[in-house]
Amino acid sequence: MDINAIRKDCKGCENKIFLNSAGSSLPPRSVVGKMEAYLQFEEELGGYEAAKLKEADINVFYEETAKLLNCKPGNIAFAYNATDAYARALSAIPLNTGDYLLTTNDDYISNQIAFISLQKRVGIKLLRANNLENGDIDLNHFEELTKQYKPALVSVTHIPTNSGLVQDVEAIGEICKRYDCWYLLDACQSVGQMEVDVKKIGCDFLSATGRKFLRGPRGTGFLYVSDEVLEAKLEPLFIDMRGADWKTADSYQIQRDAKRFEMWEFSYASVIGLAEAIRYANQISIKNIYDYNLPLIKTLRDGLAGIDGVMVLDKGSVKSNIVTFHKNGIELNEMERILKKEKVFYSVTKKEYAIIDFTKKGVDWAIRISPHYFNTLEEIKKTIDIIHG
Ligand SMILES: Cc1ncc(COP(=O)(O)O)c(C=O)c1O
């Protein structure tokens, strides 16, 4: 991996220490360039003609995303963000009153809110598997719940927004297969930073966003839909004229591939931007990105853990590029003032984003730092010194 070339491609990494890829990362120059060029076509031709002319470029999105996830282009649907992709998948599961939905304590806030909403509206029953002492999911408990309650849906967040934990999604995939449950995976924080192979994981749906570790534009995401889901003819609740053909006054026919989960109208400039971001990551290779990031993350976690008063909050036997910490004896405002003064870009996670996890950890806030492969070890060391004070 040529870090100098990568930093040259990344205008935003000059003159600051950008450590917020879990929030919204810095796109490579080529992403912005492709989007600008596409918008110029729209300026000249109008949106419909531009899309026709650039169909091959738009299809790159499906091809590169399929390469990233180890599936076929026909398994991929474009979405406006991860939550949008997730909601479309969730709406396709035939949930009835009294059905069980099994999840974890570490699933994403908006997913948890959607489950509670389904509880209120449909009367589903929500189950959450326990964690082990070290933060990992308790797979025995997960399997017991699956066996006993035969959930209509298992939904798991690969990497939570609020901690460095990586959940064992392959082991959960095996349990789902054994007990024949639909499996929806939120891979919003994992795509782009580590291998995410839908065949190995065995999920039926996978939702993700463009702007985080994939370094795509805002307002983009995607949904992976397995062949089993397509063959079972599951469809989103609010399917539109892209997802289905209107055949008679009272009937429609769904698309055979994952386009069944798309809406007719998109920002094609954004699709092209996301296609380029994924192409860029595939070309460097996720393995190279992951290997480059490992020492950065280890140095950061070890360095922070060595500072008086700092609690590194990340749990689990496998950890990700998301590093969260709390510093005792300092107000959040003051911590933020210090980081901002030194041009360190980060984000804050509040207790209300992670009620279950932060209640257990006994903190109201955490600073979240999320390096990526355009960062350097020098930047990480400097950040540790700044936080040390
Ligand atoms: C784990 C996880 N899932 C889902 C989302 C939602 O993504 P989006 O804002 O693209 O809908 C986030 C955003 O932070 C996230 O961290």
Side-chain angles (χ1 to χ4, degrees), residues 106-255:
D106 294 291
D107 264 52
Y108 183 59
I109 169 175
S110 300
N111 307 352
Q112 303 274 8
I113 291 171
F115 305 151
I116 299 166
S117 165
L118 281 170
Q119 241 177 348
K120 285 203 299 185
R121 183 168 288 208
V122 183
I124 62 153
K125 294 184 176 159
L126 188 53
L127 302 165
R128 293 192 185 96
N130 295 337
N131 296 83
L132 298 173
E133 202 51 45
N134 74 350
D136 285 347
I137 186 81
D138 181 342
L139 289 168
N140 289 332
H141 189 228
F142 205 98
E143 178 152 13
E144 274 166 31
L145 291 175
T146 312
K147 194 173 170 183
Q148 185 175 349
Y149 295 101
K150 302 272 178 319
L153 178 66
V154 167
S155 174
V156 176
T157 295
H158 199 174
I159 296 178
T161 205
N162 47 283
S163 87
L165 177 73
V166 181
Q167 306 224 69
D168 191 346
V169 293
E170 286 186 28
I172 290 170
E174 281 166 23
I175 296 173
C176 291
K177 206 140 273 160
R178 225 173 290 141
Y179 297 95
D180 198 20
C181 307
W182 293 120
Y183 179 18
L184 165 54
L185 179 69
D186 175 342
C188 184
Q189 294 289 6
S190 51
V191 289
Q193 67 158 294
M194 62 191 290
E195 183 196 58
V196 176
D197 180 326
V198 291
K199 296 273 157 47
K200 286 189 192 161
I201 296 169
C203 54
D204 296 296
F205 292 101
L206 176 151
S207 55
T209 208
R211 72 183 183 281
K212 297 181 187 287
F213 290 99
L214 282 173
R215 304 178 63 198
R218 290 197 74 173
T220 62
F222 57 82
L223 179 68
Y224 156 80
V225 185
S226 71
D227 288 339
E228 288 77 7
V229 167
L230 295 173
E231 278 153 27
K233 300 203 174 350
L234 295 190
E235 58 184 70
L237 179 58
F238 297 109
I239 192 162
D240 89 346
M241 57 189 274
R242 181 162 175 96
D245 295 325
W246 195 18
K247 287 295 190 188
T248 70
D250 292 310
S251 70
Y252 61 80
Q253 192 177 331
I254 53 176
Q255 303 301 341

